[in-house]
Amino acid sequence: MHKIFWQRAGRLWVQGLLLFALRLVQNRTGFDPETGLSLPSVPGTVLAAALVVCAVAEAVLSLRLSGEQARFTDQFALPERELPLMVVGCFLISAGGVLLLLGALPQQGIAAMTAGLLAVAVGGGFLLLLRQVRAGGEPSVFYALPSMFFAVFFVLAVYLPEESNPVLARFYVPVLAAALTAYAFSHLAGFLRRESSPRSFVRAADLAVLLCLAALADALAQPCYLLLYGGCALLLSMFLLLRRDIARADT
């Protein structure tokens, strides 16, 4: 069990926290305090290189998994010890959504407001999905739909305030984190319609967890995003831990 935990979730959190540390140092030392322009930064360079290495490594590691489309119940085991952490992840996302909505009302616009509302629905939707799975019923894609719509507006809420910012190094990590989260949630929902494969989901979810943890360094001053990135990383980690071992199909 400890080996499985390390392979599927533990190593991602260790890697992600290392990326978080690099990003934190880059944010504090890699930008001119007066102009905001990017400065030569060893942590920033190492972070960018590490992200590329992680992406390549996840692509290679995922090749051993099946590329065939699978049903949700065939891909994921029933949550037992993982359930409390999944519930925590749902509440973190919903709480982040409430804070994002409250902060967005005065000035941040439709994208942030919509992302906040949908984040609340994401937490409730996944809780209902988990309840249906544990009851032995066939899980409905309806409960996963909020996560797909939320992820789209989450990307917009993160990117739009920075769209005119010429310093890409300032915002590329949180934007990538939101985009990979959207990709991972779409593959997770795809299992409910037998439209996703273990290979594609694991590849997307692994990178989403890594980037969400790294993006926490950018969200330290924004509790709503701190909760959203943390909740997404935790929830996706638990789904990765629950997946069944499915060997690569020889076709």
Side-chain angles (χ1 to χ4, degrees):
M1 180 63 187
H2 293 298
K3 182 179 179 181
I4 292 175
F5 173 80
W6 171 255
Q7 290 177 339
R8 298 182 183 178
R11 69 173 181 84
L12 293 176
W13 280 72
V14 171
Q15 291 173 246
L17 291 175
L18 290 174
L19 296 175
F20 164 83
L22 288 170
R23 181 62 175 173
L24 186 62
V25 176
Q26 181 191 17
N27 284 343
R28 293 183 175 180
T29 64
F31 301 96
D32 188 297
E34 295 184 1
T35 65
L37 295 177
S38 180
L39 300 173
S41 168
V42 173
T45 302
V46 173
L47 173 64
L51 288 173
V52 172
V53 170
C54 287
V56 173
E58 294 302 333
V60 172
L61 289 172
S62 67
L63 293 177
R64 63 186 178 181
L65 300 173
S66 172
E68 291 188 350
Q69 295 174 338
R71 295 189 309 164
F72 186 92
T73 50
D74 292 334
Q75 173 64 13
F76 300 104
L78 290 177
E80 299 293 344
R81 286 178 290 183
E82 301 85 0
L83 185 60
L85 288 178
M86 299 183 87
V87 172
V88 170
C90 291
F91 277 107
L92 288 176
I93 294 172
S94 292
V98 171
L99 293 180
L100 180 60
L101 178 61
L102 293 176
L105 288 177
Q107 74 256 356
Q108 291 189 31
I110 296 298
M113 291 174 61
T114 306
L117 284 171
L118 289 170
V120 176
V122 169
F126 274 118
L127 287 175
L128 292 173
L129 177 66
L130 292 170
R131 179 182 178 184
Q132 192 174 37
V133 169
R134 285 179 60 82
E138 186 66 27
S140 170
V141 71
F142 174 78
Y143 298 124
L145 288 179
S147 67
M148 298 176 66
F149 291 111
F150 155 73
V152 173
F153 283 96
F154 186 30
V155 175
L156 293 175
V158 174
Y159 172 71
L160 288 179
E162 303 288 350
E163 63 177 337
S164 59
N165 189 340
V167 186
L168 180 62
R170 270 287 188 191
F171 62 90
Y172 83 98
V173 171
V175 171
L176 278 179
L180 264 297
T181 298
Y183 191 42
F185 276 144
S186 70
H187 281 294
L188 183 59
F191 285 117
L192 298 167
R193 298 295 299 270
R194 199 164 187 169
E195 295 175 351
S196 293
S197 70
R199 184 186 303 163
S200 59
F201 169 70
V202 169
R203 184 184 301 161
D206 281 3
L207 290 174
V209 171
L210 291 175
L211 281 160
C212 280
L213 292 173
L216 293 177
D218 294 82
L220 291 177
Q222 298 174 291
C224 58
Y225 288 112
L226 199 64
L227 293 172
L228 288 171
Y229 284 122
C232 290
L234 182 58
L235 190 59
L236 287 171
S237 295
M238 291 303 102
F239 275 109
L240 286 167
L241 193 57
L242 285 174
R243 66 183 180 83
R244 304 179 192 273
D245 284 323
I246 302 177
R248 178 179 178 180
D250 294 322
T251 56

